[in-house]
Amino acid sequence: MLNLQPYADPKYFVILLLALAPLAIGLYFGKRFAWYEVIVSFAFIFLMFNGKKYHEGYAIIGFMIWQWLLVWGYTLYRKKANNTVVFYVVTLLAILPLFLVKLSAPTHWTHVATLLGFLGISYLTFRSVGMILETRDGSIKEFNPWLFLRFMLFMPTISSGPIDRYRRFIADVTSVPDRDKYLKMLEKAVWYFFLGFLYNFVISAYFFQSFVLPQVKSLAIESASVHGGLTWWLVPVMYASGLNLFFNFAGYSLFAVATSYVMGIEVPMNFNKPFLSKNLKEFWNRWHMTLSFWFRDYIFMRFVFLIMKKKWIKSRVTTSNLAYIFNMLVMGFWHGLHWYYIVYGLFHGVGLVINDAWLRYKKKHNVPHNKFTEALAIFITFNVVMVSFLIFNGDFLDKLWFK
C-alpha cells in the first residue's frame, strides 16, 4: 500500500502540490476551503501511517483522544477554579505519553514504543501542553473541538515542526490573506521549496550523508581503535555532523513553512542564519527558534517567576543562571534519555551562564567592540556550537568509546 513520508522524495512533492492546487486557487480568489484543507491534511496523515506504520496510526488516534479530553476538561475546569496542583497534574498527564516513549529507548520497552510512539509525538505534545499553559494563564478561554483538531493535526508541521502557537494559528486559519499578501506568500513558498531541496537533498543527503560522513566516521573508528578511543578524526566528524544536522533540519523546516504558506498559514520560521551568532544566547535566538522560544516562554520564564514569587533566591543573577541550566537540561531530556542528550543540555545551560557573565563583564569594563571582535565572537560561538553538536551525536561516540 502507498506510504508517504513527509518531504522524503520528489514523488511526495508532486502529490502534495497537486492536492493543494484547489486550495491555492481558492485562496487566490479570497476563499478558504476549510473542509477540503482538512480532508487533504487527514489524507496525508493517513498515508504517513499506512502500510507497515499502521501501529503509529493507532497510536496517534489514541494520543489525540487523550489530549482532546485533557485540554477540553481543563478548559471547563479553568472557568470555575485555578488550583495549581490540578494544573500540574493535567500538564504531567499531557506529557506522559511522550515521556513513556522517550523512556522506552534506554529501558528497551519496545512494546511501549510500539503502542504509544508515532512520528511527530514531540511536536503534538508541545502544541497541547502550550494550550494547557495558555488556558491556565487565561489567554485561551474557550475550547473549540474543530479548531483544536485543525491546530493539532496541521499536516505540514506534524512531523518535524516548526512549533506553532494556538492563538497565532487560529488567527490565520479563520481568515483569508488578501490577494497581494497571498501572492507574496506563494513567492516565498517557491523560494523555500528550492532552498529546502538544496539544503536537504543536495548538501545534507548527497554531500554529507552519502559522501563525507561515512568517510570521516570510518577513519575515526579505525584511528580510535589504535589510539585508545582518541583521534584527531573527531574534528572533521564534528564539523561534518554539525553542518549536516543544520542543513537536514533546516531543509525540512523550509519544506514545512513553504507548504504552510501555500495553504495560507504563516507558520513561523525555525532558523535565521544561526552560524552568524556572536554569542550563545544569540545562537538560541536563531537556532530552532520555535523550540527555543517555546522553552523560553513556558519553562525558563515560569521557572524564574516561580523562584521570584516564592522568594527562594534573592539574587537575580543566580536565579537566571539556575533557570538557564534547568531550561537546557529539560531540553536535553526532551531529546532523549541518553547520556549525550543530557550532557548536551547541561553544556548549553552552563554555556549560557558563562555567556551572561561575559556580557555583564563587557558592559562593566567597556570591552572594545569592532568588526574584528565581532568576527572573533562569531568564530568562537560557531566552534562552541560544533563541540555541542559532537556531543549531540552521541550514538557515534558510543560506538567509538564504549563498544
Side-chain angles (χ1 to χ4, degrees), residues 36-258:
Y36 181 79
E37 179 184 311
V38 170
I39 290 170
V40 169
S41 290
F42 282 10
F44 274 83
I45 292 171
F46 172 80
L47 293 173
M48 281 172 58
F49 304 120
N50 195 24
K52 294 180 180 180
K53 294 197 171 187
Y54 72 92
H55 58 279
E56 294 190 32
Y58 292 132
I60 193 173
I61 292 171
F63 177 88
M64 284 301 303
I65 294 172
W66 177 252
Q67 300 295 342
W68 191 93
L69 291 172
L70 287 173
V71 177
W72 172 61
Y74 186 70
T75 305
L76 292 177
Y77 167 80
R78 183 63 182 85
K79 291 179 179 180
K80 301 176 182 178
N82 187 22
N83 184 276
T84 302
V85 174
V86 174
F87 163 69
Y88 283 132
V89 168
V90 173
T91 304
L92 290 173
L93 288 174
I95 297 171
L96 182 61
L98 176 62
F99 173 75
L100 293 174
V101 169
K102 295 291 184 182
L103 188 63
S104 67
T107 56
H108 304 292
W109 292 350
T110 54
H111 58 287
V112 173
T114 301
L115 180 65
L116 300 177
F118 61 89
L119 181 66
I121 185 173
S122 291
Y123 295 97
L124 266 64
T125 301
F126 281 127
R127 295 178 197 181
S128 61
V129 171
M131 287 189 67
I132 292 169
L133 293 171
E134 291 191 7
T135 300
R136 207 270 172 119
D137 294 343
S139 301
I140 299 175
K141 300 183 183 298
E142 299 293 335
F143 178 78
N144 185 312
W146 172 245
L147 293 178
F148 172 79
L149 289 174
R150 292 181 71 182
F151 172 64
M152 291 288 290
L153 297 177
F154 184 58
M155 173 269 295
T157 61
I158 196 170
S159 61
S160 55
I163 304 166
D164 209 348
R165 307 290 179 95
Y166 177 77
R167 287 180 295 154
R168 198 222 62 79
F169 176 84
I170 296 307
D172 275 6
V173 84
T174 54
S175 62
V176 179
D178 62 56
R179 182 173 294 181
D180 288 340
K181 181 178 179 179
Y182 185 61
L183 287 174
K184 290 178 181 177
M185 291 172 69
L186 288 180
E187 183 180 346
K188 289 182 179 179
V190 172
W191 168 243
Y192 292 156
F193 274 128
F194 277 104
L195 192 61
F197 267 94
L198 174 65
Y199 280 11
N200 193 272
F201 294 113
V202 179
I203 299 177
S204 175
Y206 176 73
F207 181 70
F208 282 115
Q209 295 178 30
S210 299
F211 179 65
V212 177
L213 278 170
Q215 296 292 329
V216 294
K217 284 186 176 182
S218 176
L219 290 167
I221 291 172
E222 183 180 341
S223 176
S225 64
V226 178
H227 298 95
L230 299 176
T231 171
W232 283 107
W233 282 105
L234 269 179
V235 176
V237 168
M238 175 181 76
Y239 288 115
S241 59
L243 291 172
N244 175 66
L245 177 65
F246 166 72
F247 285 110
N248 179 263
F249 194 20
Y252 273 107
S253 294
L254 286 168
F255 290 147
V257 172

Side-chain angles (χ1 to χ4, degrees), residues 283-318:
F283 171 79
W284 280 107
N285 286 328
R286 292 170 173 263
W287 174 272
H288 203 343
M289 295 183 292
T290 58
L291 175 72
S292 177
F293 296 163
W294 195 97
F295 272 85
R296 179 198 66 190
D297 295 344
Y298 295 138
I299 295 181
F300 178 86
M301 295 302 297
R302 290 169 189 270
F303 186 76
V304 168
F305 178 75
L306 178 65
I307 291 177
M308 294 178 66
K309 182 181 179 181
K310 299 293 184 181
K311 298 181 180 179
W312 291 336
I313 300 172
K314 293 182 179 180
S315 169
R316 289 181 177 269
V317 172
T318 302

Side-chain angles (χ1 to χ4, degrees), residues 247-382:
F247 285 110
N248 179 263
F249 194 20
Y252 273 107
S253 294
L254 286 168
F255 290 147
V257 172
T259 306
S260 302
Y261 279 17
V262 174
M263 299 174 72
I265 307 294
E266 288 191 283
V267 166
M269 293 293 289
N270 238 354
F271 295 91
N272 180 24
K273 302 175 183 177
F275 296 139
L276 294 180
S277 303
K278 293 181 283 293
N279 58 63
L280 207 55
K281 194 171 186 178
E282 184 182 341
F283 171 79
W284 280 107
N285 286 328
R286 292 170 173 263
W287 174 272
H288 203 343
M289 295 183 292
T290 58
L291 175 72
S292 177
F293 296 163
W294 195 97
F295 272 85
R296 179 198 66 190
D297 295 344
Y298 295 138
I299 295 181
F300 178 86
M301 295 302 297
R302 290 169 189 270
F303 186 76
V304 168
F305 178 75
L306 178 65
I307 291 177
M308 294 178 66
K309 182 181 179 181
K310 299 293 184 181
K311 298 181 180 179
W312 291 336
I313 300 172
K314 293 182 179 180
S315 169
R316 289 181 177 269
V317 172
T318 302
T319 299
S320 64
N321 289 345
L322 287 174
Y324 280 134
I325 293 173
F326 176 74
N327 185 62
M328 299 312 294
L329 269 176
V330 173
M331 187 182 290
F333 276 103
W334 166 72
H335 279 101
L337 302 180
H338 298 283
W339 69 266
Y340 39 89
Y341 291 137
I342 297 166
V343 173
Y344 168 81
L346 184 61
F347 181 96
H348 274 282
V350 173
L352 286 168
V353 170
I354 296 171
N355 182 89
D356 255 22
W358 168 245
L359 292 177
R360 290 195 302 273
Y361 178 87
K362 278 181 62 178
K363 186 176 181 180
K364 184 177 180 180
H365 295 86
N366 295 317
V367 175
H369 179 85
N370 51 52
K371 290 184 178 180
F372 172 75
T373 59
E374 279 196 4
L376 180 61
I378 291 171
F379 176 78
I380 293 172
T381 303
F382 173 76

